[in-house]
Amino acid sequence: GDLNVTDKMVASGEKGGQYDYTANFMDIAPVFAGADAAIVNLEGNLVGSPYGTASTSAPQALMEALQRAGVDFVQTGNSCSVNNGITGLQKTLDGIRQAGMTPLGTFGSLEEYEQQQGFTIRNIGGIRVAFVVFTKGLGGLRLPEGNNHCVNLLYTDYATTYQTIDTQGIRQVLENVQAQQPDVTIALLHWGSEYNAVVGTRQEKIAKLMLDGGVDAIIGTHSHYVQQVVYDRDKGTVIAYSLGDLYGDAEKAGTNYSILLQLQITRNNETGETKITGCDYI
């Protein structure tokens, strides 16, 4: 779920002028460490001080603590991707990599985007897993001119009303993914409405686009609420509309809950068939 960079979140790891968030994740570290791959969604940037709500910038110590807790991937395609411009995006990617984790969903240069074609594939336990990230918008901001490659967007009117689904753009990225013939494709979607438990009709249309395009699991963030999880055991598909807030202020009603979604992926080495064979959560 979401890890929200706010004044209170930053202060929670302050130790005499320094920062250490190791204890903050102590109770969930065994869950992360026991997974073949663990992912969190970073609602913020890594651009140095001042830290907190106004800048959405977090100390590098936060990334170091996540890595020690067993996190492998950090989703960066969301409403905070370009809060501090393209330079801020690039610094955020550098900070995540410096901590020994892999960023998912944003690209610091056109060259990087073209190399990855808008997605990331990793061999995890002998299974080729593709991760593709889309965000509904950028917190009301527009991508700087000449940098439309930085993040995959769900809507063409992503800076205003979120009414027009970018069907062509979504299909193109998914075609790029499937051309690499991954065993499993996981879509991390920053979508829906904040502080709203209702799943919208456009989300349902987007979910169908994803599944029709070869996606096996959709893992959602952004609403800050826990929403429904739909697991089709026969097809091996999962839609988790929103996992809630992994770490945040929990000042609004309903935001003090989250789930750690656990997916089991099984490969039949005789037939080559790979599918999601288990879906659970804590």
Side-chain angles (χ1 to χ4, degrees):
D2 293 341
L3 196 166
N4 301 293
V5 178
T6 66
D7 292 338
K8 288 185 177 180
M9 182 252 108
V10 171
S12 70
E14 197 273 331
K15 312 288 182 185
Q18 302 296 317
Y19 295 93
D20 186 347
Y21 296 90
T22 304
N24 303 52
F25 302 104
M26 181 173 62
D27 291 338
I28 57 176
V31 180
F32 288 159
D36 293 296
I39 307 167
V40 302
N41 174 51
L42 175 64
E43 287 262 22
N45 304 132
L46 305 168
V47 296
S49 62
Y51 304 121
T53 304
S55 65
T56 64
S57 180
Q60 179 66 17
L62 178 64
M63 296 299 101
E64 295 164 358
L66 287 175
Q67 193 277 333
R68 285 193 293 268
V71 173
D72 303 284
F73 298 94
V74 178
Q75 178 181 339
T76 54
N78 52 51
S79 53
C80 293
S81 297
V82 294
N83 276 4
N84 291 281
I86 298 303
T87 300
L89 184 154
Q90 293 168 342
K91 288 182 177 179
T92 301
L93 297 177
D94 289 343
I96 292 168
R97 292 173 178 137
Q98 181 182 326
M101 299 178 292
T102 300
L104 298 174
T106 55
F107 307 93
S109 66
L110 179 58
E111 180 182 12
E112 185 178 332
Y113 178 84
E114 290 177 340
Q115 286 176 345
Q116 296 186 229
Q117 294 186 296
F119 62 94
T120 300
I121 287 186
R122 288 292 183 272
N123 187 309
I124 301 173
I127 295 173
R128 295 179 72 245
V129 180
F131 297 101
V132 60
V133 181
F134 289 86
T135 181
K136 67 175 290 182
L138 299 165
L141 299 176
R142 297 192 65 85
L143 284 171
E145 186 175 351
N147 290 281
N148 60 336
H149 58 272
C150 291
V151 63
N152 298 320
L153 295 158
L154 291 172
Y155 296 92
T156 56
D157 53 346
Y158 66 89
T160 53
T161 56
Y162 317 112
Q163 297 292 310
T164 306
I165 298 171
D166 188 1
T167 302
Q168 182 178 349
I170 292 170
R171 284 177 175 163
Q172 181 59 64
V173 175
L174 294 182
E175 287 174 7
N176 293 345
V177 174
Q178 296 311 312
Q180 298 302 312
Q181 299 183 319
D183 294 313
V184 170
T185 300
I186 297 176
L188 307 173
L189 303 186
H190 202 69
W191 62 348
S193 299
E194 287 187 299
Y195 313 114
N196 191 327
V198 176
V199 173
T201 56
R202 290 182 186 82
Q203 285 179 273
E204 293 173 347
K205 290 179 181 179
I206 290 168
K208 186 177 187 305
L209 264 176
M210 294 288 165
L211 297 179
D212 289 347
V215 169
D216 300 285
I218 296 170
I219 302 176
T221 54
H222 182 61
S223 77
H224 308 295
Y225 286 178
V226 176
Q227 296 178 333
Q228 62 191 20
V229 178
V230 181
Y231 173 39
D232 189 320
R233 187 178 299 275
D234 293 332
K235 294 181 180 178
T237 60
V238 173
I239 305 175
Y241 283 95
S242 175
L243 305 186
D245 284 348
L246 173 70
Y247 199 72
D249 293 354
E251 291 183 338
K252 290 183 180 289
T255 63
N256 56 331
Y257 296 94
S258 68
I259 61 174
L260 303 180
L261 186 72
Q262 298 175 305
L263 301 182
Q264 179 186 64
I265 302 170
T266 303
R267 178 182 176 85
N268 185 322
N269 288 327
E270 293 183 0
T271 66
E273 180 187 29
T274 306
K275 66 186 296 187
I276 296 171
T277 53
C279 177
D280 202 352
Y281 61 85
I282 297 173

